[in-house]
């Protein structure tokens, strides 16, 4: 009886309202909505901070918007650098901003071909299963006081889950059973080992700097942004991000001119739509992580009218800045070869990440942050 | 299954499907012939096909449009078909250029196929090559076709009276001269010519001394051109001697002379390493009987002759003994008629559309 | 007339059926051998984002290419056979099709073989205009190849910029000849029609635009560290190898052989102009690329000099009176007189071989005439692509799988040109 009562209390509107996102600007509207019986419950649920984190920011809604936006923006930015216009005619007055939506719809309605040699069950499930490691980290990343799951081990958990993504990609390549997929899978595996160590070391350096792995605490401690405290770690993190999301110049596992999208060569229709966005989703998570670790997360000038939304906006802007920087690289660099990238990460990157850890340890002793 | 497809094509979701497909026509990277130059322009900075939401993309599985860039050879036809089958529905085909339409300038070639025989075609673009504008126009037109379901002509050609076009001082005429093909002409590749070329005369003297007994005649056939006549037994020896200075083969050629029952096999050789010999092209040729087309391969002396010899085998069936790849088709598709360049393999003749004056 | 044309059109059917059977493009013994040696076989092309209209069969061990065998012929359009069935003059557009972006050079080669046979001296003005056209084509082709190289390395900006730079070149060619790419402007005895002074002045201005814009391209692509890392010491052909495999043109010069047909056997106006032959010693992909970039600058200089020279040559006569033969009024514009002048062209008996330095290297035309027919008895075309295919395949040996695209791009291999 006691348990049922507890359960009912846990899903009650009042429980949600205790921990709700407050937005002074539209507070009257929210108050009115809360008084309507069923709608009020839904509004309370959505504005409940953990649910807000899952659904709105940094969760699904922002993820979707960012995906649609960054793909369009990347094409548009590349086009401007290349003396042309990029996607335009689809919505002329807005510069063709819904181009990615059209592409997505096209993929959605296209035939999905499962070729004879594929390992059918895995070939079909893996692009869907891969969303588990892609979406889970979003629950741990805080924007101000909005956070899905608050735990002192947030940072290690996020890093661990993100590291699972390449395993799925390798599995996708294996299930595809194609020559180019095989080559691409091997490249993915090589790159995975190469960037993972500098990546983790740079995160460790930042944990040392702040003396904690709780991301909310990390953001609170960043009166000086982490990028100034430990620029070396920021550099290593940024380069590892490029490698991890296979952006140019390290677009090696999916090099389309060399091995025709590597592991994803056999996917078509919505399945390809799903696997193609993995890299962008990973990019979004790592950009969020970078803004938390190095750019002060939700810190910024408080905007009283927006209340709890202010950190959300600051963090969103910082994340977008990182993503734009990543997108910009596409039009500047050519692709490195696998052996060159491996040499870079196993020698130079490893060395400077060790330096980053040393700086982090020194700062830890000096108690700067 | 077909019910589901029918539902997608005409059910309540159909407008979304059409709209998405319309603005996302991604041509596959299947380059088939020279119109690819203009295709590249249509998607590069000058014309920017990406404005229409069309993005030139990697491989067949992820795309939905084939732009056939001109001529399709027998060998490419297979690839075109395979690529088409690899692509997921809905898929579209645009054929660029006159060659893809009716064969164009290559209409009677032995290695040509019309794309419309291989895959269903949505739109043709005339021109040789069509301009990037017309390609983008075709993509526009295909978008309209996707929305409305029917293709229509986008262009009506205006008729001009050619005789009054400015600058033309007399009316244009189609070729009035019929082709004259001599039935049994005498073919000679070493017609001697008088030229002012003292170095050549010295060179001929030197060759006469070096190749004593190996040649039938050495003649100067033009400035910087020398022809050495020999036969297939002695040619290896000549090659051995000349390959010391003449380090590469410029051309391996076979001339079919059916009425003399012979092939003439020529090797044009030249030099990269000796400066004075750089402009000189020496033609070593020999006649071989047509019913026993064998010739020693000179690949041991000139590596560069390898592919040229294989090509000549493809065209004429002359077996270059010593070349390891003889007997395999190299340039031609496996189902091409054998040895198409022999004179007795006739292709369809050109015909002119002439205006008959009354 | 239209009715009769309609009837005729019915006849223009291509008399072959589309192929239906599948086939294995690899020799069986090659496959078995690779299997026995535990090698991996990768087929690149013809439908592959990083290859043109050809298939390259790679045998790789780990990441290293053990052997590469080509499977060309996907764009073989039977030009040599077709040329035996057309009038000499009708073959000009046909012979332009191997490399349409290189129109100036490829038609020049065929036309020069005819002129050599007829012993015609081309009027001075036509010579210079031909030179301008040939060099414009050369710039256009080198830019095209630079773009393809860039996109093979995944550098899309490096693809877009050269193609944008090709637009002024094409505009210049359009103003000269009236069509974007396939101009067939060069005819035996001269050029189709005289080029007015304003057009030449426009071409001269284009050269300055190109020079300025190429500086930006140099910053973003040529001097880009990631590009240098991909191209340097990759696909090396030593001088001896380059000679042995008969590599031609800029790729031969990149290996240290100073051979340029324009120098060793000067034609048109090349011996009266002042220009250098760029040569490099390394023989790697990067030097193959740099030599061509340097050639673009040389070509710009040649065009400017030629246009300066053209200032002093009076307008008018651009077709040699030797070919006009009674139709002197057409000497500045052949329009309308085409078949009257050239319809009955018969070359004297014998073989005529012309060498031309096309953009990608030596281009050989060998015309065999029987002295009676007004169609050639045999036309042999060997294009630069076909010459250096062997060298290209040999330079792949021992390189990494990813280097295939770098080497492919550095050779600027254009299958329509190689296959004819």
């Amino acid at each position: 009886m006691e348990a049922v009562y507890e359960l009912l209390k846990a899903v009650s509107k009042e429980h949600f309202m205790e921990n709700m996102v407050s937005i002074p600007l539209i507070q009257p509207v929210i108050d009115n909505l809360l008084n309507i019986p069923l709608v009020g419950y839904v509004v309370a649920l959505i504005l409940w901070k953990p649910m807000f984190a899952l659904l709105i920011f940094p969760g699904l809604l922002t993820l979707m918007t960012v995906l649609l936006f960054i793909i369009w923006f990347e094409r548009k930015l590349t086009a401007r650098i290349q003396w042309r216009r990029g996607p335009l005619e689809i919505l002329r007055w807005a510069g063709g901003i819904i181009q990615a939506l059209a592409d997505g719809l096209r993929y959605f309605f296209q035939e999905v071909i499962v070729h004879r040699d594929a390992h059918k069950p895995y070939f079909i499930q893996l692009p869907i299963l891969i969303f588990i490691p892609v979406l889970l980290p979003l629950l741990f990343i805080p924007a101000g006081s909005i956070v899905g799951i608050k735990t002192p081990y947030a940072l290690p958990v996020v890093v661990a889950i993100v590291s699972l993504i390449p395993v799925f990609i390798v599995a996708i390549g294996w299930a595809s059973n194609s020559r180019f997929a095989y080559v691409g899978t091997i490249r993915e595996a090589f790159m995975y080992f190469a960037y993972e160590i500098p990546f983790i070391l740079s995160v460790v350096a930042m944990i040392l700097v702040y003396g904690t792995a709780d991301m909310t605490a990390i953001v609170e401690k960043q009166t000086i942004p982490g990028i100034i405290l430990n620029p070396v770690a920021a550099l290593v993190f940024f380069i590892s991000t490029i490698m991890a999301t296979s952006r140019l110049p390290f677009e090696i596992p999916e090099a389309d001119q060399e091995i025709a999208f590597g592991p994803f060569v056999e996917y078509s229709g919505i399945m390809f739509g799903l696997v193609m966005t993995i890299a962008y989703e990973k990019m979004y998570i790592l950009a969020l992580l970078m803004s938390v670790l190095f750019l002060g997360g939700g810190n910024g000038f408080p905007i009283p009218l927006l209340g709890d939304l202010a950190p959300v906006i600051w963090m969103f802007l910082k994340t977008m800045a990182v993503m734009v920087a990543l997108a910009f690289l596409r039009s500047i660099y050519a692709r490195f070869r696998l052996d060159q990238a491996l040499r870079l990460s196993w020698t130079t990157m490893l060395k400077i990440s060790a330096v980053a850890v040393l700086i982090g340890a020194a700062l830890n002793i000096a108690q700067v942050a | 299954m077909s019910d589901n497809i029918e539902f997608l094509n005409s059910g309540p979701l159909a407008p979304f499907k059409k709209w998405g497909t319309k603005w996302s026509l991604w041509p596959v990277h299947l380059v088939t012939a020279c119109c690819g130059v203009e295709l590249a322009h249509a998607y590069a900075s000058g014309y920017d096909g990406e404005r229409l939401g069309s993005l030139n993309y990697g491989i067949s599985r992820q795309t939905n449009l084939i732009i056939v860039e001109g001529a399709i050879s027998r060998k490419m036809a297979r690839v075109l078909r395979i690529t088409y089958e690899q692509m997921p529905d809905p898929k579209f085909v645009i054929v660029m250029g006159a060659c893809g339409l009716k064969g164009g300038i290559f209409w009677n070639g032995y290695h040509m196929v019309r794309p419309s025989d291989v895959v269903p075609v949505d739109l043709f673009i005339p021109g040789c090559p069509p301009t990037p504008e017309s390609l983008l126009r075709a993509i526009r037109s295909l978008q309209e076709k996707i929305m409305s379901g029917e293709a229509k002509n986008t262009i009506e050609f205006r008729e001009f009276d050619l005789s009054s076009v400015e600058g033309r001082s007399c009316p244009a005429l189609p070729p009035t001269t019929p082709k004259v093909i001599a039935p049994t002409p005498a073919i000679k590749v070493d017609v001697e010519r008088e030229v002012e070329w003292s170095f050549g005369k010295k060179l001929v003297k030197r060759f006469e001394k070096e190749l004593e007994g190996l040649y039938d005649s050495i003649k100067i056939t033009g400035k910087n051109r020398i022809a050495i006549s020999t036969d297939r037994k002695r040619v290896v020896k000549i090659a051995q001697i000349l390959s010391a200075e003449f380090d590469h083969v410029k051309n391996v050629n076979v001339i079919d002379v059916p009425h003399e029952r012979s092939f003439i096999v020529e090797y044009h050789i030249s030099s990269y390493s000796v400066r004075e010999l750089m402009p000189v092209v020496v033609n070593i040729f020999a006649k071989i009987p047509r019913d026993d087309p064998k010739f020693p391969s000179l690949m041991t002396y000139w590596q560069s002759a390898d592919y040229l010899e294989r090509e000549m085998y493809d065209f004429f069936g002359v077996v270059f003994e010593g070349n390891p790849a003889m007997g395999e088709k190299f340039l031609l598709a496996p189902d091409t008629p054998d040895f198409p360049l022999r004179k007795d393999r006739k292709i369809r003749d050109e015909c002119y559309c002439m205006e008959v004056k009354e | 007339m239209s009715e009769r044309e309609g009837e005729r059109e019915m006849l223009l059917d291509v008399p072959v059926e589309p192929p239906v059977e599948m086939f294995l493009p690899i020799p069986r013994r090659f496959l078995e051998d690779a299997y026995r040696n535990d090698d991996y076989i990768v087929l690149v092309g013809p439908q592959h984002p990083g290859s043109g209209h050809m298939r390259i069969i790679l045998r790789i061990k780990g990441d290293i290419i053990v052997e590469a065998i080509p499977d060309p012929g996907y764009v073989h359009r039977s030009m040599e056979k077709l040329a035996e069935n057309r009038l000499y003059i009708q073959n000009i557009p046909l012979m332009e099709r191997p490399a349409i972006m290189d129109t100036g050079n490829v038609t020049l080669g065929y036309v020069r073989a005819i002129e050599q046979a007829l012993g015609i001296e081309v009027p001075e003005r036509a010579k210079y205009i031909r030179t301008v056209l040939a060099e414009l084509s050369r710039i256009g082709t080198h830019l095209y190849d630079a773009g393809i190289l860039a996109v093979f390395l995944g550098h899309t900006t490096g693809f877009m910029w050269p193609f944008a730079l090709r637009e002024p070149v094409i505009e210049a060619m359009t103003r000269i000849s009236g069509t974007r790419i396939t101009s067939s402007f060069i005819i035996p005895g001269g050029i189709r029609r005289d080029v007015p002074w304003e057009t030449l002045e426009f071409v001269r201005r284009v050269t300055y635009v190109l020079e300025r814009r190429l500086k930006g391209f140099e910053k973003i692509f040529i001097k880009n560290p990631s590009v240098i890392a991909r191209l340097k010491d990759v696909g090396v052909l030593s001088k001896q190898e380059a000679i042995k495999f008969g590599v031609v043109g800029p790729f031969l010069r990149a290996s240290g052989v100073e051979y340029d047909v324009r120098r060793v056997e000067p034609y048109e106006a090349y011996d009266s102009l002042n220009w250098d032959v760029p040569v490099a010693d390394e023989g790697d992909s990067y030097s193959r690329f740099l030599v061509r970039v340097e050639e673009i600058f040389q070509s710009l200089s040649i065009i400017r000099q030629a246009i300066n020279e053209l200032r002093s040559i009076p307008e008018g006569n651009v077709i040699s009176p030797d070919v006009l033969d009674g139709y002197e009024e057409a000497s500045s514009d052949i329009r309308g007189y085409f078949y009257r002048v050239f319809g009955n062209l018969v070359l004297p008996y014998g073989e005529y071989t012309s060498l031309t330095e096309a953009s990608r290297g030596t281009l050989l035309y060998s015309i065999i005439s029987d002295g009676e027919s007004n169609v050639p008895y045999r036309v042999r075309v060997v294009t630069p692509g076909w010459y250096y295919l062997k060298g290209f395949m040999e330079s792949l040996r021992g390189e990494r799988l990813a280097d295939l695209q770098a080497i492919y791009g550095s050779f600027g291999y254009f299958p329509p040109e190689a296959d004819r």
Side-chain angles (χ1 to χ4, degrees), chain A residues 111-158:
Chain A
E111 184 185 1
V112 174
I113 297 173
V114 183
H115 59 286
R116 195 180 53 198
D117 298 336
H119 190 291
K120 280 200 188 73
Y122 289 139
F123 187 79
I124 296 167
Q125 346 170 347
L126 281 168
I128 298 158
L129 283 182
I130 201 170
F131 276 84
I132 297 169
V134 166
L135 292 178
L136 264 183
L138 293 176
L139 282 176
F140 296 91
I141 294 171
S145 58
I146 299 167
V147 58
I149 301 171
K150 197 169 177 331
T151 151
Y153 307 110
L155 200 49
V157 168
V158 168

Side-chain angles (χ1 to χ4, degrees), chain B residues 28-34 37-38 40-41 43-45 47 58-60 73-79 83 105-112 114 117 128-129 131-132 168-171 173-175 177-182 185-189 191 193 224-225 247 250-258 266 268 272 275 278-279 281 283 303-304 306-308 311-312 315-316 328 330-332 334-335 340-343 345 347-348 350 352-353, chain C residues 1 4-5 8-9 11-16 18-19 21-23 29 46-49 51-53 70-82 84-87 90 93-94 97 100-101 144 160 163-164 166-167 170 180-182 243-248 252 257-259 264-265 333 335-337 339-340 343-344 349-355 362 364 366 368 370 372-375 377-378 380 382 386-387 389-390 393 414 416 419-420:
Chain B
V28 63
H29 183 100
L30 175 74
V31 274
T32 60
C34 34
V37 179
E38 291 292 44
H41 270 286
Y43 284 93
S45 303
Y47 293 88
I59 56 163
S60 45
S73 64
R74 273 168 176 270
K75 221 170 177 175
M76 200 53 137
R78 258 187 206 84
V79 179
T83 308
I105 199 166
F106 308 109
W107 71 273
N108 53 354
Y110 55 79
H111 208 235
M112 306 306 296
R114 276 191 305 186
D117 293 342
C128 190
T131 54
R168 191 183 291 276
S169 38
C170 70
L173 286 175
T177 32
K179 273 189 298 194
V180 182
I181 302 179
I187 299 300
K188 200 159 180 236
V189 296
V191 180
R193 268 185 206 80
N224 293 336
R225 305 282 182 267
D247 48 27
K250 278 237 184 292
N251 180 14
V252 177
N253 191 7
V254 174
I255 303 160
D256 182 18
V257 196
E266 300 179 309
H268 289 86
Y272 284 146
R275 190 161 281 275
M278 274 184 185
V281 178
N283 176 5
Q303 282 272 313
S304 40
D306 184 5
Y307 293 166
L308 296 163
E311 184 196 7
M312 282 301 120
F315 287 170
F316 289 98
E328 290 163 16
F330 188 46
L331 265 182
L332 303 180
D335 57 354
L341 255 78
R342 287 187 180 186
K343 282 281 175 187
R345 306 283 195 276
I347 54 170
R348 284 189 137 200
E350 303 272 308
Y352 306 128
C353 306
Chain C
M1 171 161 179
R4 209 168 288 126
E5 242 177 27
R8 290 289 187 177
E9 267 185 7
L11 289 173
L12 301 180
D13 274 338
V14 182
V16 287
E21 284 168 34
M22 297 284 292
F23 71 104
R29 54 184 161 76
Q47 198 280 301
H48 185 278
S51 92
H53 339 36
D71 181 18
Y74 286 89
V75 213
H76 177 63
R77 286 154 296 176
S78 52
M79 262 172 213
E80 292 180 9
K81 182 77 175 178
L82 292 179
E84 290 171 14
N85 284 278
R86 288 177 198 192
L87 304 182
Q90 286 175 317
L94 184 72
R97 291 302 181 276
I100 55 172
M101 77 278 263
Y144 183 95
M160 293 293 175
F163 271 83
R166 264 175 63 80
E167 289 293 343
I170 286 179
R180 276 172 64 88
I181 293 182
T182 47
I243 291 174
K244 190 168 93 184
F245 300 128
V247 178
V248 289
L252 181 70
V257 183
E258 202 181 335
Y259 178 89
V264 300
E265 202 185 33
D333 189 348
R335 264 183 296 179
Y337 292 91
Y339 283 112
R340 290 164 217 227
N344 248 334
Y349 176 62
E351 187 193 71
Y352 308 95
T353 309
S354 81
L355 291 177
T362 312
L364 177 138
S366 183
I368 287 111
D370 53 18
E372 298 167 53
S373 326
N374 56 6
V375 297
Y377 190 79
R378 168 139 172 75
R380 172 78 174 133
V382 191
W386 193 237
Y387 277 123
L389 181 60
K390 178 97 180 165
M393 289 299 139
F414 188 57
D419 295 348
R420 288 148 286 146

Side-chain angles (χ1 to χ4, degrees), chain B residues 232 254 263 265 267 288-290 292-298 309-310 312-314 316-328 339 342:
Chain B
R232 64 180 169 189
V254 174
F263 286 122
V265 181
Y267 276 75
I288 56 170
R290 204 160 181 273
D292 178 30
K294 291 204 175 75
F295 199 81
S297 167
L298 303 186
E309 283 173 359
R310 290 175 71 176
M312 282 301 120
Y313 171 76
D314 261 11
F316 289 98
V318 175
V319 179
F320 290 88
E321 290 170 316
N323 191 325
M326 282 298 124
E328 290 163 16
F339 319 135
R342 287 187 180 186

